[in-house]
Amino acid sequence: MKKIAVLTSGGDAPGMNAAIRSVVRCGLAAGWEVFGINHGYAGLIAGVSQKLGPRDVSGVIQAGGTILGSSRSPEFETESGRQKAIDNLRNNQIEALVVIGGNGSQMGAHLLNEMGFPTVGVASTIDNDLYGTDQSIGVDTALNIALEAIDRLKVTASSHQRAHIVETMGRNQGYLALMAGIAGGAEYVVIPEVETSPDLIAEEIKNTYRRGKSHCLIVVAEGAHWNAERILEHFRENKELGYSLRATILGHVQRGGAPTAFDRLLATRVGAAAVHEIEEGRSGILLGLSCGEIKATPYTEVTSHRKTLDLSILDIAEKLAR
Ligand code: F6P
C-alpha cells in the first residue's frame, strides 16, 4: 500500500485544515495510507508524525489554523537538515510529501524534490505573493477580516473627524492592503510597490479634509517603508492635517478565524488535485488557481519567478476616493 505524508509550514492560513482534510480523504479513497507531520519541517526533521484516518479530519473544514501545527525551521534551511527529513520519510516508507504553505515552504519542498524525494505543493499564504497561483488559500479570509475591521474603523473615524491608518499584513507585497483599501473605500493606500512620501501622504489627508469628508481612511501594507508606526510618528505633532490621527495594526488577527466558503472550496480542490498528481506519478509541482481552474506549475518555474501585483486597479482606487 502506498504511503504519503502531508504537512503545513510557515505562517498558518485559514483553509489549511480544509486542504489537509482533502489530501487525507482523497488519499484514503485512492487506497493509500496518509500520515500527518506535526509542526511543519521541524516535525519532519524530528520525525513527529501520525497516521490519519477519515475521522481524524472530521469537523475541521470550518476551523482556522492548522490541526497539524506549523513552524519556521532554520535547521531545514541546511542541507543536512533536509537530508534528515528525507531519511525520516524513507525510513517510514513514505513515497511522496504534500507541502501546504507559502513561498519559503514551497522553496523547501522544491529543494527536497531536487534531492530526490517527490514533493507536491499546495499554495497557501495570506500574502498572495506566491508565483504560480492567482490566489492562495487564506487570502480571501484574511481580506474579509481586514475589511470588517476597516468598516468598523471608518465608523469611529467619522464620528470623531479623524484620519485613521489601518495596517495590514502581507510581508513585502501590497496585495492585502490594496484590495482591502479598494473594497473598504479607503481614501489612500500605501503599498511597497508604489513610492510615497510624508508630503504626498499629508497632501492626500488635507485634500480629503477640503473635500468635506468626515474621515480619511488610509490603508497601509506592513511592508511599505511608510508603515503605520512611521506615519503616526511623523505626523504626531502636525496640526495642519485637518484631522487628528489614529492607527490600528491588524497583525495576526488576519490569520485567525473560520475560512470563507471561497477558501474552503479552493483548499478542497487543490488538496484533491495534489493527490491526483501523485497518483499520476508527477511531483516537483505547485498546485494553485489559474483563471478559475486548478493548475500545476513546475517548482523550477515557481522558484525562479516573483509574483507581481497588478497595479492597474490603483487608477480606479484614486478615482473612487474622491
Ligand atoms: O506570511 C504570512 C505572514 O502573516 C506575513 O503577512 C507576516 O509578515 C508574517 O507571516 C508574520 O510572521 P509570524 O507569524 O512569524 O510573526
Side-chain angles (χ1 to χ4, degrees):
M1 188 187 283
K2 193 179 181 91
K3 291 182 184 179
I4 66 163
V6 57
L7 62 78
T8 49
S9 166
D12 63 347
M16 277 184 159
N17 283 326
I20 296 168
R21 174 179 176 270
S22 182
V23 170
V24 170
R25 293 207 176 147
C26 291
L28 295 174
W32 306 341
E33 283 183 345
V34 184
F35 289 79
I37 312 287
N38 297 108
H39 307 298
Y41 289 128
L44 191 56
I45 292 171
V48 202
S49 69
Q50 53 188 303
K51 191 169 155 185
L52 297 172
R55 293 289 69 76
D56 294 314
V57 288
S58 290
V60 305
I61 195 167
Q62 69 273 35
T66 158
I67 55 167
L68 292 176
S70 191
S71 65
R72 304 191 198 275
S73 166
E75 193 180 353
F76 190 76
E77 286 170 22
T78 66
E79 188 156 350
S80 62
R82 290 194 292 277
Q83 192 54 56
K84 257 193 227 170
I86 292 180
D87 292 345
N88 280 338
L89 287 162
R90 291 210 173 116
N91 288 341
N92 288 294
Q93 289 81 49
I94 289 166
E95 292 173 47
L97 175 69
V98 178
V99 173
I100 303 169
N103 262 319
S105 312
Q106 301 306 339
M107 175 54 92
H110 168 57
L111 294 175
L112 284 187
N113 202 73
E114 296 274 283
M115 288 168 75
F117 193 86
T119 55
V120 169
V122 165
S124 177
T125 164
I126 67 160
D127 301 336
N128 213 25
D129 60 351
L130 191 51
Y131 186 89
T133 187
D134 294 344
Q135 195 151 333
S136 308
I137 298 168
V139 172
D140 187 61
T141 309
L143 196 49
N144 277 291
I145 293 168
L147 204 50
E148 193 186 333
I150 287 171
D151 289 347
R152 289 171 187 230
L153 292 168
K154 217 171 174 179
V155 171
T156 169
S158 271
S159 305
H160 291 268
Q161 292 258 317
R162 281 176 178 153
H164 206 114
I165 305 158
V166 187
E167 185 179 292
T168 66
M169 274 190 164
R171 211 175 280 278
N172 302 317
Q173 275 261 10
Y175 182 90
L176 277 181
L178 180 58
M179 299 307 158
I182 290 171
E187 274 63 44
Y188 193 51
V189 177
V190 181
I191 53 176
E193 291 83 352
V194 178
E195 211 178 308
T196 191
S197 66
D199 284 352
L200 272 176
I201 296 168
E203 215 29 54
E204 288 295 334
I205 298 175
K206 287 183 199 165
N207 278 340
T208 303
Y209 188 76
R210 282 186 216 117
R211 289 202 295 272
K213 288 200 172 187
S214 57
H215 63 262
C216 177
L217 201 96
I218 304 165
V219 181
V220 309
E222 66 174 356
H225 173 76
W226 287 101
N227 60 15
E229 204 184 338
R230 285 201 175 110
I231 297 177
L232 198 62
E233 191 51 43
H234 187 87
F235 291 112
R236 197 175 288 284
E237 305 302 332
N238 193 315
K239 303 271 182 258
E240 289 161 18
L241 295 177
Y243 306 98
S244 61
L245 207 56
R246 294 288 188 277
T248 300
I249 297 175
L250 297 180
H252 291 82
V253 78
Q254 293 154 105
R255 294 225 308 246
T260 57
F262 182 91
D263 275 331
R264 294 182 204 191
L265 290 170
L266 174 61
T268 301
R269 290 172 74 198
V270 282
V275 171
H276 176 73
E277 293 298 320
I278 295 170
E279 248 180 324
E280 296 292 312
R282 288 187 284 268
S283 67
I285 45 176
L286 174 76
L287 290 152
L289 189 67
S290 173
C291 302
E293 303 291 329
I294 303 302
K295 188 188 85 174
T297 309
Y299 269 142
T300 44
E301 194 182 329
V302 172
T303 54
S304 59
H305 288 79
R306 254 179 76 97
K307 185 168 180 168
T308 50
L309 185 56
D310 177 6
L311 293 176
S312 56
I313 200 165
L314 255 182
D315 286 347
I316 307 173
E318 277 162 22
K319 286 177 196 145
L320 294 179
R322 270 150 218 276

